Amino acid sequence: QSHVGILAFMRPFSYEVWAYIGIAYIGISFLLSIVNAVNPYEWFWLAKRSEASPQEGRTYLPWNSLWNAYGAFAQQGAETVPQSFAGRFISGVWWFFMTVIVASYTANLAAFLTGSGNRPTINSLMD
């Protein structure tokens, strides 16, 4: 009999995979923040030149970048998207990566839930 705990939803992936997803999540968030800070075509610089509102200029600061990257993990859309090619490319790769991860998780979860009760019916050579 299998024991179902509070963290049973994490079983379709190993703990190492969850750790790598978390590291990638934090890395992408900070990469988007850096691109926003150095790229002259991003929201931060557009707001400094008064081509965008100050609110939009704070779109991809570190905490907001974490929230936007989490939106991809939850399969939700972002309110604002990066303006530069580099930011859009990074976001697009992240969204594609998260779509593959969520699809893999869903498939593994379905296999885990349906296959966990199966036991082999052949127990000896005579069967």
Side-chain angles (χ1 to χ4, degrees), residues 49-95:
R49 292 190 306 257
S50 299
E51 295 176 20
S53 71
Q55 172 95 13
E56 290 172 325
R58 293 186 298 270
T59 300
Y60 282 95
L61 295 178
W63 291 112
N64 293 339
S65 293
L66 284 168
W67 183 250
N68 285 333
Y70 177 74
F73 188 71
Q75 299 292 305
Q76 300 296 313
E79 188 173 326
T80 56
V81 295
Q83 291 296 305
S84 68
F85 176 76
R88 287 179 184 230
F89 182 78
I90 293 166
S91 292
V93 169
W94 177 249
W95 281 86

Side-chain angles (χ1 to χ4, degrees), residues 22-35:
I23 291 168
Y25 165 67
I26 291 170
I28 285 292
S29 299
F30 285 114
L31 185 62
L32 283 173
S33 296
I34 291 169
V35 166

Side-chain angles (χ1 to χ4, degrees), residues 104-123:
S104 299
Y105 175 80
T106 304
N108 286 340
L109 182 64
F112 172 73
L113 293 175
T114 59
S116 62
N118 293 341
R119 296 208 170 99
T121 56
I122 299 174
N123 295 323

